[in-house]
Amino acid sequence: MAAAAGRAPETPAGHLGTPRPLVNSGNTCFANSTLQALLACGPFRALLSEMARRQRLFAPAFPPGGVALSFSSFYDAVAKAPAAATASNVPHLQPATYFERPLRAFRTGTRRRGGAAGGAAILAADTVSPPSGGGAWAAGPASQEDAEEWLSFALDQLHEELLDAARKAPPPQPKQQHDSPRAGRDNGGASGGGRPHEARQNGGAAEEEEGAGGGGDSDGGGEWLSVGKGSKVSTTRTMAVASSPVRAIFSGMVCNRVEAREDEDGKVAKPSNTIEPFTCLNLDIDRAAIRSLDDALDAFFDKQSLEDFKIRGKSASASKQPLLQALPSVLVLHLKRFTYDQHGSHKVLRHLSFEQTLRVQRSHLADGCAGARPKAAPAYTLVAVVAHHGHTLGGGHYTCDVHVPSAGGGTSEWYHCDDNRVRKVKASDVMQRQAYVLFYERAADS
């Protein structure tokens, strides 16, 4: 992904210190916990810091009351608020004031069974004025929402708004070259010496380059033949994705490899690989054998049989296995605690163990995984844990534990954030949470 708008911020923002208390404005713990977790992610905090610093410059490019300006204003308020969370005179921030319109759109979308996608459509069509600070954002009586769905909605919408702003930005002015009569021809053949490819990338809407010999599919994806271990040939197809600073932080790539053999004559088909992006890995944990995060990851990346698979109309035995093709800077893991059947939703209540350091197993990586060192297991450090309390999705409560590194090289600390109650806790307490969403940040030396 070569677009300039897709690069993650290179200079990390300073640590915010003790998390700020956040007011629950009526079942908004799902949003409060998610925001605390996002602020614990260094690369995302750096992005918000840059957006807040240049808000006056960027504001005209973003929709009024949209997610981008909401995040920018919220971060600015957090950075300016006192850090002493236990002091009685500390002002409690009210996220619903900053995210009034996005929260209203999200909740309306989920009630219409559109989920996060429905909320995005409503937000795009909403012509309501920007938040007034009154907090009257709820579309009808407030109900509890899914923290993971809100996370996906907020990041997807921020991604789209950043892309749209980049598309509207004027293209960079070509450099004037006077020392060579061939300057115009060498710079793309345009009369003004411009470089169309560079202008497209700097516009932020560039799509991922197709592979060598790309097939030029209508959806912008590329398909080509690749040679793997033992000179085995396979067909690889990559889904085209537009890049943004949000994608540069949270997005990785998964390669879904399908292998098949015809049942009748045993002929082996050429394997196929489909590479697609992700911003959150959704891990099934309902099986009793899954007792830890490592178990859930092993199950996710395990090879699975495909039923009713056919090759040119003939029955075949086939399997599918997902593997990591590219690693994100921040790895978000959603433990799917809620299952659904004809009787409604049910929650997986058992504890799943997880550690402060996550080492990605080499068996979970595809050949040539981007960002992985040869013969070394990529390592991630836990920075936030969103936990769900209660037995039902609609009637529970969300809290968040965040890791705060020491600014002076001392001992880092964990804080438990329960809306406007923030307190220091032990790491051992955090490891006992009934985790729902885990946020891991790529280790600097990994």
Side-chain angles (χ1 to χ4, degrees):
M1 305 179 199
R7 298 193 188 105
E10 296 178 0
T11 303
H15 299 301
L16 293 173
T18 306
R20 311 311 192 258
L22 302 180
V23 174
N24 189 325
S25 303
N27 285 336
T28 57
C29 59
F30 71 94
N32 291 351
S33 298
T34 302
L35 291 172
Q36 294 283 24
L38 288 173
L39 290 177
C41 301
F44 190 67
R45 193 169 60 245
L47 171 61
L48 296 186
S49 176
E50 181 69 8
M51 289 173 60
R53 185 178 68 86
R54 305 176 65 182
Q55 183 172 4
R56 289 186 179 181
L57 176 64
F58 290 152
F62 295 119
V67 172
L69 290 181
S70 297
F71 265 118
S72 177
S73 299
F74 174 68
Y75 178 86
D76 187 56
V78 170
K80 292 177 179 177
T86 58
S88 58
N89 61 343
V90 172
H92 294 177
L93 298 176
Q94 188 172 354
T97 300
Y98 303 94
F99 290 87
E100 180 178 357
R101 185 178 169 191
L103 279 168
R104 182 175 61 245
F106 172 71
R107 276 188 158 157
T108 304
T110 54
R111 287 176 183 176
R112 294 181 183 176
R113 299 182 181 274
I122 292 170
L123 180 58
D126 192 358
T127 58
V128 178
S129 59
S132 60
W137 53 267
S143 62
Q144 187 58 275
E145 306 292 350
D146 191 316
E148 188 276 329
E149 288 188 0
W150 164 250
L151 171 68
S152 297
F153 167 80
L155 292 182
D156 287 349
Q157 190 62 32
L158 179 58
H159 162 75
E160 292 296 335
E161 291 182 13
L162 288 172
L163 279 183
D164 189 55
R167 293 187 185 105
K168 295 176 181 177
Q173 295 298 320
K175 294 181 179 180
Q176 298 296 327
Q177 299 186 19
H178 304 287
D179 58 340
S180 172
R182 300 180 57 190
R185 293 191 300 273
D186 291 343
N187 285 305
S191 59
R195 298 172 62 187
H197 180 66
E198 179 179 315
R200 183 174 74 92
Q201 289 187 343
N202 289 338
E207 295 183 333
E208 184 175 13
E209 296 292 338
E210 297 182 34
D217 294 345
S218 59
D219 63 357
E223 182 173 307
W224 65 95
L225 298 180
S226 58
V227 180
K229 293 181 179 179
S231 299
K232 294 182 178 179
V233 178
S234 61
T235 301
T236 299
R237 183 176 184 276
T238 300
M239 295 181 62
V241 291
S243 184
S244 77
V246 175
R247 288 276 171 87
I249 294 170
F250 294 99
S251 285
M253 303 290 284
V254 166
C255 174
N256 291 295
R257 183 175 179 84
V258 175
E259 298 177 334
R261 179 190 300 270
E262 292 184 10
D263 293 336
E264 184 175 331
D265 54 14
K267 183 179 179 180
V268 178
K270 182 170 55 181
S272 66
N273 302 311
T274 301
I275 301 174
E276 54 189 0
F278 70 89
T279 55
C280 176
L281 289 182
N282 299 298
L283 307 179
D284 288 316
I285 61 171
D286 57 326
R287 285 175 16 205
I290 298 178
R291 312 294 298 184
S292 67
L293 177 59
D294 287 339
D295 291 340
L297 287 169
D298 286 340
F300 181 88
F301 291 108
D302 192 20
K303 184 180 293 187
Q304 301 177 353
S305 298
L306 298 177
E307 298 181 357
D308 301 324
F309 194 89
K310 295 182 181 297
I311 302 176
R312 292 181 292 276
K314 297 182 179 180
S315 297
S317 300
S319 64
K320 177 182 178 180
Q321 182 177 23
L323 295 170
L324 288 169
Q325 186 69 36
L327 299 169
S329 297
V330 176
L331 178 62
V332 182
L333 302 174
H334 169 217
L335 305 181
K336 297 170 65 175
R337 289 196 171 274
F338 297 97
T339 59
Y340 302 87
D341 57 25
Q342 64 271 24
H343 303 293
S345 64
H346 307 276
K347 183 181 177 182
V348 178
L349 294 170
R350 69 176 179 277
H351 173 71
L352 265 77
S353 63
F354 53 94
E355 303 293 338
Q356 292 192 67
T357 299
L358 172 66
R359 297 194 179 278
V360 181
Q361 301 300 316
R362 297 294 303 180
S363 58
H364 298 165
L365 303 179
D367 293 339
C369 176
R373 295 180 179 179
K375 300 181 180 180
Y380 285 82
T381 301
L382 184 67
V383 295
V385 179
V386 173
H388 181 270
H389 309 266
H391 291 73
T392 63
L393 178 62
H397 180 63
Y398 288 99
T399 62
C400 181
D401 293 278
V402 298
H403 181 248
V404 179
S406 172
T411 304
S412 60
E413 297 173 321
W414 281 93
Y415 287 86
H416 182 66
C417 305
D418 185 356
D419 291 328
N420 63 343
R421 296 177 294 275
V422 177
R423 59 185 174 87
K424 191 182 300 184
V425 293
K426 298 178 181 178
S428 56
D429 295 333
V430 177
M431 299 305 115
Q432 295 303 313
R433 303 290 186 218
Q434 196 170 86
Y436 186 54
V437 186
L438 299 167
F439 294 74
Y440 282 91
E441 191 173 317
R442 185 76 180 269
D445 56 351
S446 173

